[in-house]
Amino acid sequence: MSIFVSVAAYRDPELVPTVLDCLAQADRPDELRIVVNWQHLGDEDVSALRADPRVTVLEFDARRSRGVCWARARIQRHYVDSDWYLQVDSHTRFAPGWDTRLIAMAARTGAAKPILSCYPSPYDPARERAGGGEPTLIALHGWTHDGLPRFRHFRIPGWQQASGPVPARFVAAGFLFAPGSFVREVPYDERIYYQGEEINLATRAFTWGYDLFHPVEVLAWHYYVREGQARHWMDHRTPGDGHWYDLDRAGRRRALTLLRYVIVGGFGSGPVRPMSAYQEYAGIDFGRRTATAEALAGQLPGVPREVELTR
């Protein structure tokens, strides 16, 4: 089965190793179509990627970048119909057979439109990778000053005994596996800068009829520390249209508007489930900035209660 792989990279020396490992660890690497958004200042060598026909490199001057959602949206413009969609960050490593294992996991959910997502276990490029780690779930960790949810992650209790993926309340943008239809139905909103990205994806996907799950196997590792490496908000501090703070403020307002008001279609809610159904399922209330005890404790949610969509 074909997999379209999205990799957004902002001045990241881990980009080339990430893409090469993605190919090397796949059981069926020729079924992958990898599109990279490479934002750089001319100081990186990606010739190894350009030489591979399975990889498309979209090249942008980093000074003109408008953030991660903008980068992922540009990648999705080059989407070609595929059975599956995988989205990862440019500092990722992969488990052997990650592609066939993800497809098999998705089938075990029994859902018509499953999404598998998590914050992967950590790796350090300065050390030899020895595997390891434990599958994690994403839980609410409070609210920002303006009312966007904050997240944390920790080990899935009893994951060793799980027969398949477990239900999830939220998704992680740095590792997200979904049917290819996700790109058409839940395209990236490039007007969101960074904060609000993941809850925007979770709510829109759920209201389009996707069911959310966490894998119970470690299929990837993520480089979290990245000490001394460039970040978009570190570079974009010159007053003007591209200042990171202005982009972030506008993006947060947009994300909050889409969460709090009934907006169906476009970059708003999907046509299958209402936003209220997601809030009930996830155990949170965007307007009141509250959550159930179960959501705050990171307990797994139950099966979504299907309700009729009213406009």
Side-chain angles (χ1 to χ4, degrees), residues 152-228:
R152 58 177 174 155
H153 67 287
F154 49 84
R155 179 179 60 86
I156 297 174
W159 63 269
Q160 299 93 333
Q161 289 76 45
S163 59
V166 297
R169 299 174 191 268
F170 310 106
V171 302
F175 188 86
L176 186 150
F177 184 73
S181 58
F182 177 86
V183 180
R184 307 288 190 198
E185 295 177 339
V186 193
Y188 250 80
D189 187 343
E190 65 180 61
R191 286 172 286 183
I192 295 174
Y193 175 70
Y194 174 69
Q195 293 287 346
E197 174 188 13
E198 293 174 330
I199 195 61
N200 177 266
L201 293 178
T203 54
R204 291 171 59 213
F206 186 89
T207 58
W208 265 99
Y210 292 85
D211 292 311
L212 315 180
F213 297 91
H214 294 310
V216 290
E217 300 176 29
V218 176
L219 296 176
W221 295 267
H222 188 278
Y223 184 27
Y224 289 98
V225 179
R226 302 177 63 214
E227 186 174 354

Side-chain angles (χ1 to χ4, degrees), residues 106-123:
R108 285 201 296 273
T109 67
K113 297 164 71 174
I115 291 179
L116 296 169
S117 186
C118 67
Y119 294 130
S121 296
Y123 82 92

Side-chain angles (χ1 to χ4, degrees), residues 42-91:
D43 52 353
E44 301 168 21
D45 179 9
V46 299
S47 56
L49 304 185
R50 295 190 188 281
D52 195 313
R54 297 165 295 189
V55 182
T56 298
V57 178
L58 311 176
E59 186 173 348
F60 294 93
D61 186 325
R63 292 166 294 191
R64 298 184 179 276
S65 168
R66 299 185 70 84
V68 65
C69 294
W70 169 89
R72 299 200 212 273
R74 287 296 189 275
I75 290 172
Q76 290 186 342
R77 290 183 182 182
H78 293 262
Y79 174 72
V80 292
D81 286 333
S82 303
D83 296 307
W84 297 96
Y85 171 78
L86 174 68
Q87 180 173 289
V88 295
D89 287 338
S90 56
H91 28 277

Side-chain angles (χ1 to χ4, degrees), residues 229-252:
Q229 292 190 13
R231 304 292 201 278
H232 189 278
W233 53 87
M234 295 166 58
D235 287 347
H236 292 255
R237 295 176 178 270
T238 303
D241 181 55
H243 193 289
W244 79 269
Y245 180 81
D246 294 332
L247 294 172
D248 182 56
R249 182 174 57 180
R252 295 166 81 104

Side-chain angles (χ1 to χ4, degrees), residues 11-59:
R11 300 185 60 201
D12 189 353
E14 283 291 289
L15 168 61
V16 172
T18 290
V19 175
L20 295 182
D21 196 60
C22 180
L23 290 162
Q25 301 299 336
D27 282 338
R28 297 182 175 87
D30 290 340
E31 292 293 313
L32 305 183
R33 166 76 187 282
I34 302 175
V35 178
V36 174
N37 185 313
W38 179 41
Q39 303 148 78
H40 68 98
L41 295 177
D43 52 353
E44 301 168 21
D45 179 9
V46 299
S47 56
L49 304 185
R50 295 190 188 281
D52 195 313
R54 297 165 295 189
V55 182
T56 298
V57 178
L58 311 176
E59 186 173 348

